[in-house]
């Protein structure tokens, strides 16, 4: 019934070609499934390639006392005890195997003098735990996974954006997409689908994220009927570039602090001693981001409104070897030599802890046949992610999602796609060309980013969150009248208009959840509820579609078994 559109059929369709998507594709192939991977940009250009500091795994190469139990404890403590305990356990137990497997597939990590994998310190990790390749770890990871996947025979559909999921008798059945270059439409038929589309950072003005991070996978899953959880937990990384204005938000890796970088205010004071005297610069990201924000607000900020981060006390050749990207980034973009003096840094929207609700064992969502992994999924990181725990998350749960998606596709009956639904998906996409008059999508995006920055940022308060909901409702109305000029041939304005629909769904979910959670926990800081509340510690916020309305409810945080509770007591 969908012959009108170019159609591709696979057992498993993976949406997203970052670490999570590629790892899922490799595993599904291993199940004998035919696998298609669709990605918005070119293969190899996902966010994963931007990862700098490293991948967390308790290999104990540098600190032999490390083990999965300590990694588990750190992850739960960093997530402020609201994580899905089983995901945290699986992640801590399996990440070492996944790193070693990556090495067998050809990844070359930095080494200790005795030839083991070198591991560095990062905030919130008790031991030196981050396996790395200088500050270009993501590049090595994606190169390795990509080589492996292509060698095994994944079909890749590049520069192709998925806009809708189809269901058939309560199971996922396929997806609607358009080719970014030609604007042509395509239909993908599949018995299992893995969402691995990453986060939503492009909805905030100051962000370390690229144009690809518009929350598509979370919106696709939500529209198809799956649940989202923990949407209030958005991570602001403490150290983004702040000067010059054109580079504001670009990430300054935590590896700078991991390698011994110090933070000072305009008075030269190492202010972290007032916020976390024990861990200082290696405190968790939520604490350091709030500390810098507070220093600036109280008049002790750096020249351009941030803090000074200095690594120049280390030998210049060491800095250039361990932090080559940072060295070039500051030299080229800010004319600052980080081997000679400090960088200026400030918080930047970085990572989404919330996302699609998944089963810990299989990564299946609440919609049969639909799986999610990586930054698009939720549960592992709770209220705050530790640095390095994302790359390991991609490998551990990408693998599990691919395994379960492949097995389930084999068992599932054939699915079909309703032609009317495909028609509706197409009409939705062409509507902005058909209006006589209407607003430019760039204006709506600019206003959305500013409002999210101002009203749903590091510190939140009821009046701002209510105001944000009113603003988002008005953006929905404006988007319904958006006009795009030109043709469907590579048209970035049209692409943005499509992305905006996802961004509005996801920012609404974030704001509703942030308003509901009347406490402060991890990355969610309420000025009007500054304390952590034990009752809220027992609840996850859940978002679900009910007709055209967004429904918010709470579900109990799964109870941790006694033996794991004892690990936390230690
Ligand atoms: C600058 C930077 C540095 C970082 N450093 C680290 C680090 O050192 N350690 C660490 O653990 N974490 C780090 N992170 C976080 C980590 O890189 C990401 O969380 C992780 O890479 C996300 O991987 P993913 O596979 O979930 O998504 P991604 O790698 O972002 O891949 C998403 C994929 O989905 C595709 N996609 C999106 N929407 C659609 C759509 N509608 N249709 C089709 N395809 C779509 C994209 O094209 C892309 O291929 C860093 C992040 C940034 C931004």
């Amino acid at each position: 019934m969908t012959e009108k559109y170019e159609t591709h059929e696979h057992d498993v369709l993976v949406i997203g070609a970052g670490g999570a998507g590629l790892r899922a594709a490799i595993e599904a192939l291993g199940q004998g499934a035919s696998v298609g991977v669709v990605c918005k940009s070119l293969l190899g250009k996902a966010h994963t390639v931007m990862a700098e500091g490293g991948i967390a795994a308790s290999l104990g190469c540098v600190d032999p006392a490390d083990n999965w139990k300590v990694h588990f404890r750190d992850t739960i403590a960093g997530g402020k005890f609201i994580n899905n305990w089983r995901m945290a356990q699986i992640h801590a137990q399996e990440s070492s195997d996944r790193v070693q497997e990556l090495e067998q597939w050809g990844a070359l990590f930095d080494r200790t003098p005795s030839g083991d994998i070198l591991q560095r310190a990062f905030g919130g990790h008790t031991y030196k735990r981050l396996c790395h390749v200088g500050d270009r770890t993501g590049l090595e990871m994606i190169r390795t996974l990509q080589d492996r996947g292509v060698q095994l025979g994944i079909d890749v559909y590049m520069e192709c954006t998925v806009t809708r999921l189809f269901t058939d008798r309560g199971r996922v059945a396929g997806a609607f997409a358009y080719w970014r270059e030609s604007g042509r439409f395509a239909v993908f038929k599949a018995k299992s689908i893995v969402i691995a589309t990453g986060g939503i950072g492009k909805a905030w003005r100051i962000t370390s994220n690229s144009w690809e991070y518009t929350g598509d996978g979370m919106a696709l899953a939500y529209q198809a009927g799956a649940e989202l959880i923990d949407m209030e937990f958005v991570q602001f990384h403490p150290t983004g570039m702040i000067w010059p204005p054109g580079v504001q938000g670009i990430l300054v890796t935590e590896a700078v602090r991991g390698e011994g970088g110090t933070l000072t205010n305009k008075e030269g004071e190492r202010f972290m001693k007032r916020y976390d005297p024990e861990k200082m610069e290696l405190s968790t990201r939520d604490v350091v981001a709030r500390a810098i924000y507070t220093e600036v607000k109280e008049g002790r900020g750096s020249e351009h409104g941030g803090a000074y981060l200095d690594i120049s006390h280390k030998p210049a050749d060491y800095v250039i070897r361990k932090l080559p990207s940072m060295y070039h980034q500051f030299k080229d973009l800010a004319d600052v030599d980080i081997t000679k003096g400090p960088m200026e840094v400030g918080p930047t929207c970085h990572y989404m802890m919330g996302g699609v609700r998944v089963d810990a064992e299989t990564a299946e969502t609440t919609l049969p046949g639909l799986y999610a992994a990586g930054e698009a999924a939720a549960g592992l990181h709770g209220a705050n992610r530790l640095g390095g725990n994302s790359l390991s998350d991609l490998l551990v749960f990408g693998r599990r999602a691919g395994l379960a998606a492949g097995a389930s596709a084999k068992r599932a009956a054939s699915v079909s796609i309703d032609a009317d639904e495909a028609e509706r998906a197409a009409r939705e996409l062409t509507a902005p060309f058909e209006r006589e008059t209407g607003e430019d999508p760039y204006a709506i995006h600019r206003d959305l980013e500013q409002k999210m920055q101002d009203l749903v940022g590091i510190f939140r308060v009821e009046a701002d969150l209510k105001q944000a909901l009113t603003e988002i409702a008005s953006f929905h109305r404006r988007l319904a009248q958006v006009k795009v000029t030109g043709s469907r041939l590579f048209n970035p304005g049209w692409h943005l208009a499509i992305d905006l629909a996802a961004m509005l769904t996801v920012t609404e979910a974030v704001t509703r959840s942030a308003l509901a959670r009347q406490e402060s926990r991890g990355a969610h800081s309420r000025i009007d509820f500054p304390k952590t509340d034990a009752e809220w510690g027992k609840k996850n916020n859940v978002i679900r579609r009910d007709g055209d309305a967004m429904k918010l409810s709470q579900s109990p945080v799964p109870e941790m078994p006694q033996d794991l509770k004892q690990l936390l007591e230690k």
Side-chain angles (χ1 to χ4, degrees):
M1 291 298 279
T2 54
E3 313 75 42
K4 187 168 168 194
Y5 303 110
E6 165 192 333
T7 300
H8 303 274
E9 188 165 351
H10 292 281
D11 298 323
V12 177
L13 181 71
V14 178
I15 310 175
L22 288 172
R23 189 63 191 82
I26 290 167
E27 206 62 25
L29 273 169
Q31 298 290 298
S34 95
V35 180
V37 176
V38 197
C39 51
K40 226 163 148 169
S41 59
L42 295 169
L43 183 63
K45 279 206 73 192
H47 254 80
T48 302
V49 82
M50 294 160 74
E52 295 165 349
I55 173 166
S58 58
L59 288 160
C61 298
V62 174
D63 286 325
D66 202 7
N67 60 58
W68 77 262
K69 292 176 182 168
V70 190
H71 194 181
F72 168 80
R73 191 172 68 206
D74 290 346
T75 301
I76 296 277
K80 302 295 181 278
F81 306 92
I82 205 163
N83 325 49
N84 177 308
W85 66 264
R86 180 62 185 143
M87 289 179 85
Q89 183 186 27
I90 291 172
H91 168 257
Q93 288 175 331
E94 296 184 1
S95 51
S96 294
D97 286 351
R98 298 286 75 80
V99 167
Q100 279 164 340
E101 178 180 69
L102 207 62
E103 201 183 28
Q104 282 155 18
W105 293 348
L108 285 171
F109 292 100
D110 286 0
R111 319 304 296 188
T112 64
S114 60
D116 290 326
I117 293 179
L118 182 59
Q119 298 185 274
R120 63 163 49 118
F122 244 57
H125 290 283
T126 302
Y127 296 113
K128 290 187 172 161
R129 191 176 280 149
L130 267 76
C131 314
H132 58 277
V133 185
D135 58 3
R136 293 175 181 151
T137 312
L139 176 63
E140 188 67 2
M141 179 160 157
I142 206 113
R143 184 191 64 71
T144 308
L145 292 172
Q146 200 175 291
D147 281 0
R148 178 97 185 157
V150 170
Q151 197 182 33
L152 292 175
I154 45 170
D155 287 317
V156 182
Y157 304 88
M158 285 193 270
E159 300 206 289
C160 186
T161 302
V162 172
T163 62
R164 227 351 111 211
L165 297 182
F166 299 120
T167 53
D168 178 19
R169 290 160 290 159
R171 185 184 174 92
V172 81
F176 196 78
Y178 70 93
W179 293 97
R180 293 172 65 79
E181 193 181 353
S182 65
R184 279 186 299 114
F185 297 143
V187 167
F188 291 88
K189 219 173 137 187
K191 287 189 258 179
S192 295
I193 294 187
V194 180
I195 292 204
T197 47
I200 172 70
K202 274 312 281 178
W204 278 262
R205 190 175 67 74
I206 302 173
T207 179
S208 67
N209 292 183
S210 82
W211 63 270
E212 285 185 81
Y213 264 21
T214 51
D216 299 11
M218 297 172 198
L220 287 167
Y222 166 83
Q223 293 295 354
E227 289 178 352
L228 309 177
I229 60 164
D230 292 344
M231 295 301 284
E232 62 274 41
F233 299 120
V234 179
Q235 181 169 80
F236 290 81
H237 194 294
T239 61
M241 291 181 82
I242 56 168
W243 191 259
V247 301
Q248 198 176 23
I250 293 180
L251 194 75
V252 179
T253 174
E254 191 170 328
V256 177
R257 284 174 287 136
E259 296 292 345
T262 53
L263 283 166
T264 51
N265 59 21
K266 76 169 182 196
E267 286 150 16
E269 178 201 22
R270 273 182 79 182
F271 56 85
M272 281 309 298
K273 68 176 185 234
R274 276 186 282 114
Y275 301 90
D276 188 347
E278 200 187 315
K279 302 198 184 110
M280 295 292 284
E281 283 81 2
L282 289 181
S283 186
T284 51
R285 289 175 178 179
D286 51 339
V287 176
V288 184
R290 277 194 295 272
I292 296 178
Y293 184 96
T294 307
E295 289 300 298
V296 176
K297 206 136 193 233
E298 293 179 357
R300 296 184 295 276
S302 64
E303 187 185 352
H304 299 104
Y308 295 108
L309 175 61
D310 198 359
I311 187 77
S312 64
H313 50 277
K314 295 270 181 184
D317 64 331
Y318 180 85
V319 172
I320 294 170
R321 185 159 41 84
K322 297 307 285 183
L323 301 163
S325 298
M326 291 304 105
Y327 175 73
H328 290 293
Q329 185 172 304
F330 273 90
K331 201 107 180 90
D332 299 345
L333 302 179
D335 199 21
V336 167
D337 184 343
I338 67 167
T339 67
K340 298 205 169 85
M343 307 156 231
E344 262 192 282
V345 294
T348 180
C349 179
H350 183 59
Y351 183 86
M352 183 59 174
M353 272 75 70
V356 187
R357 182 178 212 165
V358 290
D359 171 64
E361 310 293 334
T362 60
E364 190 166 25
T365 70
T366 48
L367 176 67
L370 185 66
Y371 300 78
E375 195 171 334
L380 167 61
H381 309 290
N384 175 57
R385 173 177 72 86
L386 297 186
N389 268 0
S390 171
L391 294 189
S392 40
D393 171 8
L394 310 183
L395 295 179
V396 169
F397 291 102
R399 173 182 164 276
R400 281 182 170 255
L403 195 65
S408 155
K410 267 197 223 158
R411 291 190 307 266
S414 67
V415 285
S416 64
I417 293 169
D418 180 359
D420 290 345
E421 267 199 62
E423 248 353 273
R424 257 198 305 281
R427 273 204 308 277
E428 217 172 67
L429 296 186
T430 50
F433 289 108
E434 281 149 21
R435 295 187 187 111
E436 292 287 309
T437 56
E439 198 182 356
D440 177 336
Y442 291 98
I444 305 175
H445 186 218
R446 191 192 53 228
D447 292 351
L448 171 69
E449 286 180 316
Q450 191 63 55
K451 292 297 173 193
M452 290 308 285
Q453 189 73 34
D454 294 345
L455 303 174
V456 196
I458 296 184
F459 284 103
R460 299 154 175 192
V461 67
E462 181 175 305
D464 284 357
L465 295 168
K466 285 188 166 159
Q467 177 64 29
L469 283 177
T470 308
E471 301 284 352
I472 291 168
S474 89
F475 298 143
H476 274 296
R477 287 193 294 276
R478 285 166 65 183
L479 184 63
Q481 296 306 319
V482 80
K483 165 145 186 71
V484 172
T485 53
S487 77
R488 274 160 53 188
L489 284 179
F490 198 89
N491 186 334
W494 181 44
H495 303 167
L496 179 62
I498 296 165
D499 292 344
L500 268 171
M503 281 193 266
L504 293 186
T505 299
V506 178
T507 51
E508 184 179 337
V510 169
T511 311
R512 285 190 188 284
S513 305
L515 184 59
R517 185 169 287 280
Q518 295 188 332
E519 65 156 353
S520 292
R521 182 180 296 272
H524 174 68
S525 299
R526 288 280 300 254
I527 293 169
D528 42 354
F529 297 97
K531 295 215 171 80
T532 302
D533 176 345
E535 281 311 305
W536 269 106
K538 297 177 191 157
K539 296 182 229 172
N540 291 112
N541 275 322
V542 181
I543 293 278
R544 187 170 8 93
R545 188 166 71 82
D546 184 4
D548 284 340
M550 187 174 278
K551 279 270 179 288
L552 172 92
S553 58
Q554 280 86 37
S555 70
V557 174
E559 179 76 19
M560 193 183 288
Q562 202 50 37
D563 57 328
L564 292 180
K565 274 191 189 157
Q566 274 166 7
L567 293 180
L568 300 185
E569 281 155 21
K570 280 182 202 156

